């Protein structure tokens, strides 16, 4: 976590450094999209609802979490449509405000929602109690709608101090237990400590880093999807 801690001095928050528009598709991106196997119209919908770590900050159209996760699932023989609902700079409060809108406007009821927010709360020093309350409310909304969830966790950067970490870090496993949802403890696990997998800001994964994330999440997504494979 040394890289992660040092990065905080350079940029706050996750994509106030990073709300740049998605770059135009390159020739290779377009070719990859053209050659990708078609996803059946009736394939289950997975919504990836998070911040810039989900949104694919500074990455090409096929390099963010949603397209890479969809490809990883397909490689395992699981056809699912993964929709990017990541917004760079989002806090848990912002996510809470837009969750119902995203769900109400989905083409079909999602078979699964990946929920990954809290990093910007931590980088802005928002009180852990507020972060917990917002995540709790989102999980309650998803439970009310009977939508399965895979919660991806975040951990406090070391330079925020032990007191903050003791309040922030338990939020994710405790809420996962409360709602009985699937849980991946740290979205940047095995990524943030490897500079070869990170962008120059040392906060966001590059395309290779997202590949690591997608491959780690794919088995959990497959377990959560009905009739997967």
């Amino acid at each position: 976590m040394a890289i992660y801690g040092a990065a905080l001095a350079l940029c706050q928050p996750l994509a106030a450094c990073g709300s740049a528009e998605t770059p135009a598709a390159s020739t290779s991106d377009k070719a990859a999209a053209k050659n990708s196997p078609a996803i059946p119209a009736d394939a289950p919908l997975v919504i990836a609802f998070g911040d810039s770590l989900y949104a694919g900050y500074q990455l090409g159209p096929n390099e963010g979490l949603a397209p890479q996760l969809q490809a990883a699932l397909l490689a395992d023989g699981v056809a699912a449509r993964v929709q990017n609902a990541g917004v760079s700079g989002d806090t848990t409060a912002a996510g809470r405000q837009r969750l119902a809108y995203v769900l109400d406007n989905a083409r079909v009821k999602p078979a699964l929602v990946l929920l990954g927010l809290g990093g910007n709360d931590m980088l802005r020093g928002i009180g852990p109690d507020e972060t917990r309350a917002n995540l709790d409310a989102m999980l309650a909304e998803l439970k009310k709608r009977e939508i399965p969830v895979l919660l991806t966790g975040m951990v406090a950067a070391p330079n925020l101090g032990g007191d903050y970490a003791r309040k922030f870090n338990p939020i994710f496993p405790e809420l996962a237990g409360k709602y009985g949802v699937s849980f991946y403890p740290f979205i940047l696990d095995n990524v943030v400590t490897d500079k070869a997998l990170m962008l120059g800001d040392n906060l966001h994964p590059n395309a290779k880093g997202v590949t690591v994330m997608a491959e780690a999440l794919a088995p959990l997504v497959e377990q959560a999807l009905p009739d997967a494979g």
Side-chain angles (χ1 to χ4, degrees):
M1 292 297 293
I3 296 172
Y4 188 38
L8 297 182
L10 302 177
C11 176
Q12 291 192 25
L14 279 175
C17 284
S19 55
E21 294 180 0
T22 302
S26 66
T27 302
S28 59
D29 287 328
K30 293 177 181 177
K34 184 177 181 180
N35 294 329
S36 298
I39 301 296
D42 61 349
L45 173 64
V46 177
I47 293 180
F49 189 89
D51 52 31
S52 58
L53 300 179
Y54 276 33
Y57 169 60
Q58 287 193 345
L59 302 180
N62 294 304
E63 295 177 339
L65 182 61
Q68 290 215 50
L69 178 57
Q70 181 171 295
L73 294 171
L74 200 57
D76 288 344
V78 177
R81 189 174 306 279
V82 184
Q83 176 183 327
N84 177 18
V87 173
S88 292
D90 252 14
T91 60
T92 56
R96 180 178 181 178
Q97 290 178 345
R98 69 182 175 92
L99 178 62
Y101 177 85
V102 170
L103 298 176
D104 291 343
N105 287 276
R107 293 171 57 187
V108 296
K109 181 179 178 179
L112 179 69
V113 167
L114 273 68
L115 178 60
L117 290 162
N120 284 312
D121 293 45
M122 180 260 296
L123 293 177
R124 293 179 179 182
I126 292 172
D129 289 345
E130 181 177 339
T131 300
R132 180 185 290 271
N134 289 327
L135 286 169
D136 194 307
M138 286 185 274
L139 288 164
E141 178 68 19
L142 290 161
K143 181 178 180 179
K144 182 179 73 173
R145 295 176 184 243
E146 299 182 335
I147 299 173
V149 177
L150 170 53
L151 178 65
T152 61
M154 178 55 63
V155 298
N159 66 338
L160 293 177
D163 287 344
Y164 189 92
R166 280 188 288 274
K167 294 177 181 177
F168 181 86
N169 292 349
I171 292 172
F172 301 90
E174 289 176 3
L175 288 178
K178 176 180 178 178
Y179 286 94
V181 301
S182 300
F183 180 51
Y184 187 71
F186 181 37
I187 186 61
L188 290 173
D189 192 31
N190 296 318
V191 176
V192 73
T193 52
D194 186 344
K195 295 189 77 169
L197 300 179
M198 299 292 288
L199 295 178
D201 63 7
N202 289 327
L203 283 173
H204 298 89
N206 59 26
K208 291 180 180 179
V210 176
T211 299
V212 174
M213 292 162 52
E215 290 178 350
L217 291 171
L220 295 174
V221 172
E222 292 162 15
Q223 291 171 16
L225 287 175
D227 304 321

